[in-house]
Amino acid sequence: MEKRKRVKIVSLIGYQAKVKSISSGSIIIGRIVDETRNTISIRSSDGSIKRFPKNAVSITIMEGDKNICVHDGSLILGTPAERIKRLYHKWAKPR
């Protein structure tokens, strides 16, 4: 049985990702170029940048052919600084 290693990614910018929209079911594969508190921007293979609300997508972070982690978008709401607080500070609310 293979042990799964838990990966904690704080900043998503620069990672290759597959984003699946929950409402329409469309899948976009590209590189994450911007991230705000509530949205994520993906540059697709045709060069266009598409912006998605984090709470309405499922995000698969990829490295090469391997999937590093899969997140429901609502789990990564907030800025990278807020996610660090949730990981390392006792007083932060866990999600």
Side-chain angles (χ1 to χ4, degrees):
M1 188 166 136
E2 180 183 327
K3 280 191 173 182
R4 294 196 134 194
K5 188 170 94 172
R6 191 169 182 166
V7 178
K8 295 179 182 177
I9 297 175
V10 177
S11 178
L12 301 174
I13 296 174
Y15 281 101
Q16 189 75 15
K18 179 168 50 172
V19 178
K20 180 179 180 188
S21 176
I22 294 172
S23 60
S24 67
S26 64
I27 297 176
I28 304 293
I29 297 175
R31 189 161 303 275
I32 299 173
V33 293
D34 190 26
E35 173 187 15
T36 65
R37 181 174 183 210
N38 294 315
T39 64
I40 191 164
S41 297
I42 303 288
R43 176 169 299 169
S44 61
S45 59
D46 64 356
S48 64
I49 296 177
K50 296 178 175 41
R51 185 174 298 245
F52 298 96
K54 286 181 182 176
N55 61 356
V57 296
S58 173
I59 301 171
T60 304
I61 306 295
M62 301 180 299
E63 188 172 290
D65 293 338
K66 293 175 22 179
N67 292 344
I68 297 176
C69 58
V70 178
H71 287 295
D72 177 26
S74 60
L75 295 175
I76 58 170
L77 280 174
T79 63
E82 290 170 351
R83 288 197 297 268
I84 289 173
K85 286 180 186 177
R86 284 196 302 260
L87 286 173
Y88 297 108
H89 295 300
K90 290 188 250 181
W91 62 85
K93 294 179 185 176
R95 284 199 168 197

